[in-house]
Amino acid sequence: MAHSEQNRTLDREVNDYPGILQKFQVSFFAMCRLVSFPWTFLEKDLERNKSSDLIFDILKQTCLHPLCQKFPPSVRFRRLFLSELIKQEAAGCDPLDELYDALAVVVGAEEKSECYKSYLLPSGDAVSLLENIALISEGTTGLVTWEAALYLAEWALDHQQTFTGRTILELGSGVGLTGITICRSCSPNRFVFSDCHPSVLQKLQNNVELNSLTKRETPEVSVEELDWRAVTQEKIEQIGADVVIAADVVYDPDVVETLVELLSKILKCSSHTVLPEVLICSTIRNQTTYSGFKQQLETSGIRHRVITEPISHVFPYNRDSDIELIQLYT
């Protein structure tokens, strides 16, 4: 009986071989924490087969993949990843020359302040972004991708009809993950990326170009400076958004009042016969700040509903984070 159960477990693991390779690939290009990789499967495979075949397949899907040649993760991350593969290999099979060749490439390489992260789409395409390695740099948090942006992008992939053929305004676009995903997968007519920090705007423009959005006829794409304190009703009407989205913009109590004033202007836009859909996605790090945001919405006559339906898991990030997506209306 125990032997039969062991065989069934083995069959399940063998059948999941492509899924394991994909997990390694997705996690590698998004630069996930190494502890989140499926190392246990690799250990069991090495114990069972005493072969480096799986390691070589992992290598081909990561460091030797064309995407890594074009948009490589950070030098340090690749070095740590390869070192872990070598540790696994040393415990279970003969040395693999390609593994040590790949390590040699990064051992002497210079570490930079920026690196590429790539997020694989269900279509097989990738959204590749140049991001800062430090979470906070140049006085802003807008130079990296945050979890709420990944969650909102997943929701968009599940609800493409919300964006198809429409004009979208994104507030606080950061490095551009959510917007680029929507442009690549949801067929909007026009997409306006926006932010206010000069370094963020430059990085955002670079990433839009990196993903070839400026070379397409549709959607029409622009990157605009939008200072929430100074934006006018005229500017909002000029953009003419059918849908307004924002991710991880409710993190600082000092900007909440300004954000609510802007959202109030958007929801009172007189140029629309139908008011725009407004979606705000937040990682709730400080309950007091988030509750204060909702209270200010209510005080301004803006109601909200929490969108709770499950979403497809496309991107790798911490699912234990407290993330909430709300739709606003008056």
Side-chain angles (χ1 to χ4, degrees), residues 80-115:
L80 291 171
F81 174 75
L82 288 165
S83 297
E84 183 61 34
L85 275 181
I86 288 171
K87 187 172 98 175
Q88 299 281 343
E89 177 213 46
C93 63
D94 294 332
L96 180 67
D97 291 343
E98 289 85 353
L99 189 53
Y100 292 88
D101 291 343
L103 182 63
V105 170
V106 295
V107 161
E110 178 187 358
E111 185 66 86
K112 299 179 180 178
S113 61
E114 299 175 319
C115 65

Side-chain angles (χ1 to χ4, degrees), residues 223-234:
V223 174
E224 301 193 16
E225 181 179 0
L226 204 65
D227 185 339
W228 297 352
R229 295 164 300 183
V231 65
T232 63
Q233 194 79 35
E234 183 183 10

Side-chain angles (χ1 to χ4, degrees), residues 34-300:
L34 287 180
V35 293
S36 69
F37 285 64
W39 300 112
T40 304
F41 182 94
L42 177 56
E43 289 171 10
K44 290 180 179 178
D45 182 84
L46 290 171
E47 287 174 10
R48 190 165 57 240
N49 298 319
K50 305 297 181 186
S51 163
S52 60
D53 287 352
L54 177 55
I55 289 179
F56 189 41
D57 285 342
I58 290 170
L59 204 55
K60 287 188 290 186
Q61 295 300 317
T62 55
C63 293
L64 301 184
H65 194 278
L67 187 60
C68 188
Q69 313 310 309
K70 190 174 183 181
F71 301 123
S74 77
V75 169
R76 181 175 182 273
F77 179 81
R78 283 179 285 150
R79 186 167 60 241
L80 291 171
F81 174 75
L82 288 165
S83 297
E84 183 61 34
L85 275 181
I86 288 171
K87 187 172 98 175
Q88 299 281 343
E89 177 213 46
C93 63
D94 294 332
L96 180 67
D97 291 343
E98 289 85 353
L99 189 53
Y100 292 88
D101 291 343
L103 182 63
V105 170
V106 295
V107 161
E110 178 187 358
E111 185 66 86
K112 299 179 180 178
S113 61
E114 299 175 319
C115 65
Y116 292 101
K117 290 185 181 179
S118 295
Y119 303 91
L120 305 185
L121 298 171
S123 63
D125 290 338
V127 173
S128 295
L129 304 172
L130 186 61
E131 302 189 11
N132 278 35
I133 291 173
L135 293 180
I136 301 175
S137 53
E138 300 183 50
T140 178
T141 58
L143 297 169
V144 297
T145 296
W146 295 92
E147 290 164 345
L150 292 160
Y151 184 98
L152 183 54
E154 289 180 328
W155 187 89
L157 290 170
D158 279 349
H159 299 82
Q160 296 184 26
Q161 71 282 357
T162 300
F163 307 96
T164 301
R166 307 180 85 184
T167 294
I168 320 298
L169 167 63
E170 182 177 25
L171 304 174
S173 298
V175 292
L177 182 277
T178 305
I180 293 170
T181 299
I182 290 171
C183 289
R184 295 277 291 275
S185 303
C186 303
S187 304
N189 183 54
R190 179 172 171 235
F191 197 101
V192 179
F193 295 86
S194 74
D195 218 293
C196 66
H197 193 285
S199 297
V200 177
L201 285 165
Q202 185 58 59
K203 186 72 57 75
L204 179 56
Q205 181 67 48
N206 291 344
N207 283 332
V208 165
E209 293 172 4
L210 194 71
N211 287 273
S212 303
L213 294 185
T214 53
K215 297 176 183 177
R216 300 183 177 195
E217 288 186 14
T218 56
E220 178 190 338
V221 168
S222 62
V223 174
E224 301 193 16
E225 181 179 0
L226 204 65
D227 185 339
W228 297 352
R229 295 164 300 183
V231 65
T232 63
Q233 194 79 35
E234 183 183 10
K235 177 65 174 177
I236 293 168
E237 291 179 8
Q238 177 195 335
I239 292 171
D242 302 304
V243 183
V244 177
I245 62 170
D248 252 330
V249 292
V250 185
Y251 58 88
D252 183 350
D254 292 339
V255 301
V256 164
E257 184 177 351
T258 307
L259 173 60
V260 171
E261 287 175 1
L262 173 58
L263 294 171
S264 184
K265 287 178 185 176
I266 289 170
L267 285 165
K268 292 172 182 173
C269 185
S270 60
S271 67
H272 269 64
T273 51
V274 178
L275 290 176
E277 293 185 50
V278 180
L279 299 160
I280 309 291
C281 191
S282 305
T283 302
I284 305 171
R285 300 179 182 86
N286 185 307
Q287 188 61 58
T288 301
T289 300
Y290 192 64
S291 296
F293 167 63
K294 286 187 170 180
Q295 181 61 53
Q296 290 203 39
L297 287 175
E298 187 177 329
T299 302
S300 298

